[in-house]
Amino acid sequence: MERQRGKKKISDDQSTSKGNSIQIPFDLIYETFKRLPLKTLARFLCVSKEFAFITRYRDFMKLYLIKSSNRPQNLIFTFKGMCSAKHFFFSASHTQSRVGTHVRKRRGLAEELRILTLGNMGIIGETQKAKKKKIFDDLGTIGGNSYPVVPVDLIQEIFKGLPIKVLARFLCVSKECASIIRNRDFVKSYLMKSSNRPQSLIFTFEDKCSGKYFFFSLLQPQDRGEPSSSSVAVYHMKCHSRPYKTFVPSVHGLICYGPPSKLMVYNPCIRRSITLPKIDSLRIDMYHFLGYDPIDGVYKVLCMIEGNPIGGKFGLAQELRVLTLGKENSWRLVEDFPQHFLDSLDAPDICINGVSYYKVLLDTQGKNKAFMSFDVRSEKFDLIKRPELPERSFLPLKLTSYEGKLALLSSYSPDYRIELWVLEDAAKHEWSKKSYFLPTINGELRYGFYPFCVVDEGELVLAPLGVRTDPFYVLYYDPKKNCVRRVYIEGITELNENTYHSIISVFPGQVDNLMCL
């Protein structure tokens, strides 16, 4: 019901010169049709003669077949009834599990199950300019010089399945297309669909000489059964790191960075950014946290302004301000919040299911430590007590998400033990602990690798503290199978080979996002 209401709201927002239809150029229609599933293409047969012509055109069918053959193919099953002598055909997605010929009983009839073929593909690629031009020429004889008209409801369904780079091209087609793509409900639904796809890792490197941050994304390999694989990293941006550090590089596809005078939000998918309003304060010691509310589909930036130290080492938070992206032009002052400040300038933060978490100090001496939660939707703060952690650890605690809950990662010597603390009940301050010991790889222990995060499949991602030269790789540890796989990372060419680069953070969750379009 909620999806239908959002869909109706998007339709109501459109005001076109042709009622409930929008004109689309032929080249964009052609590029779009190649990416659509067969059932969606079938609906276009009844829209207009131009669309039926494209769909049934022999060259287009051939190109679609080539492109379809590169996708995961299906199994075709044939059932033969012994009494009725009829054949029944079914298709199923092809998986890695083995399928063989067997006999089973159904409603008292023995039916023989045969595998007919592995080649179930769309009947309708690699495009060729000559064939595409011929299609456009033939279309001109049918529709004249006017662009074909597409119903708005079909446009919405098509847009949801398109890559973000293709959607960006539609912004220049018409105001109606731009209105659909920038509609808040459509942005939210597109983000939800994108979150269900395989998500990327975001790496943040710090150049020790220049003091700059470098951001890369890496699509996680899906062949988890292989002991070794490789993936190519994508470079996004760089920025000055100090004294305004960013330790959560991506919150649902967006990166927030920069000094208070020019705080920016960057969308790596479309390589665009927006500048946030300047904070009206004379203080320069400011720290920001980006959060996302999945219910309302809005982003908020929380800014902490540090006060002067009084009788201690640390200055507690003097002011907290909030800005809602896309809705407000000025920062709002938070009236009520617990007394606290960041644990350190390197304190990590993370946003999980609409709640931002970060490490804090509760006194100016820095002895009383805890975690602070900030509900992005209600803008309420709550303190969470830390678990009883050992004193000595290789690295500061890493904040991550484990099964949708806040979790802490740490590693200890001398037995190279990894501990995962999971927040089971925030109100009762209850934590559970899991301990892991990394198995060997080819009989050797991987010293110098430390846990940074947990991905959706429950695997722990371990990386070295820094990188200087190739080859550079990370480790994925599966606690359920107690096995480790290695993933080599290629394409990190923007880093200076003669300079040591620290790995500041590794976070999962980079998704396609339409914000900033």
Side-chain angles (χ1 to χ4, degrees), residues 38 62 64 91 141 154 182 213 256 324 386 429 439 497 506:
L38 197 58
K62 181 179 179 180
Y64 191 92
S91 66
T141 62
L154 271 181
R182 288 172 173 155
Y213 279 172
C256 186
T324 303
R386 295 197 345 162
H429 311 280
E497 296 182 356
V506 181

Side-chain angles (χ1 to χ4, degrees), residues 137-157:
D137 293 340
D138 292 341
L139 282 171
T141 62
I142 297 178
N145 295 325
S146 61
Y147 289 152
V149 177
V150 185
V152 173
D153 59 339
L154 271 181
I155 288 286
Q156 297 167 10
E157 293 301 319

Side-chain angles (χ1 to χ4, degrees), residues 121-274:
M121 300 177 294
I123 305 301
I124 320 233
E126 297 177 358
T127 59
Q128 299 178 11
K129 294 182 179 180
K131 292 183 178 181
K132 187 195 295 187
K133 184 178 184 301
K134 188 175 187 304
I135 294 177
F136 293 158
D137 293 340
D138 292 341
L139 282 171
T141 62
I142 297 178
N145 295 325
S146 61
Y147 289 152
V149 177
V150 185
V152 173
D153 59 339
L154 271 181
I155 288 286
Q156 297 167 10
E157 293 301 319
I158 292 171
F159 281 0
K160 290 180 182 179
L162 293 180
I164 195 167
K165 292 183 179 180
V166 178
L167 275 181
R169 294 181 60 189
F170 277 94
L171 291 175
C172 304
V173 172
S174 65
K175 294 181 179 179
E176 292 80 14
C177 287
S179 176
I180 294 176
I181 296 173
R182 288 172 173 155
N183 183 278
R184 184 172 297 276
D185 292 307
F186 180 80
V187 172
K188 180 181 177 181
S189 63
Y190 190 90
L191 182 59
M192 291 176 60
K193 188 171 183 178
S194 176
S195 301
N196 296 326
R197 302 169 187 160
Q199 300 181 6
S200 302
L201 289 176
I202 283 283
F203 287 79
T204 307
F205 296 89
E206 182 183 16
D207 189 323
K208 289 298 183 181
C209 294
S210 65
K212 291 183 177 180
Y213 279 172
F214 294 82
F215 296 88
F216 293 84
S217 67
L218 177 75
L219 187 62
Q220 300 185 66
Q222 299 302 306
D223 50 349
R224 293 194 292 272
E226 297 294 331
S228 180
S229 60
S230 63
S231 185
V232 179
V234 177
Y235 171 72
H236 290 292
M237 58 169 287
K238 63 181 177 181
C239 66
H240 288 283
S241 60
R242 298 180 179 179
Y244 316 103
K245 294 193 174 182
T246 300
F247 282 88
V248 179
S250 176
V251 177
H252 279 267
L254 299 185
I255 297 174
C256 186
Y257 71 98
S261 59
K262 195 177 181 181
L263 197 60
M264 306 187 74
V265 173
Y266 176 73
N267 189 336
C269 297
I270 57 176
R271 298 182 182 274
R272 294 185 183 179
S273 60
I274 57 174

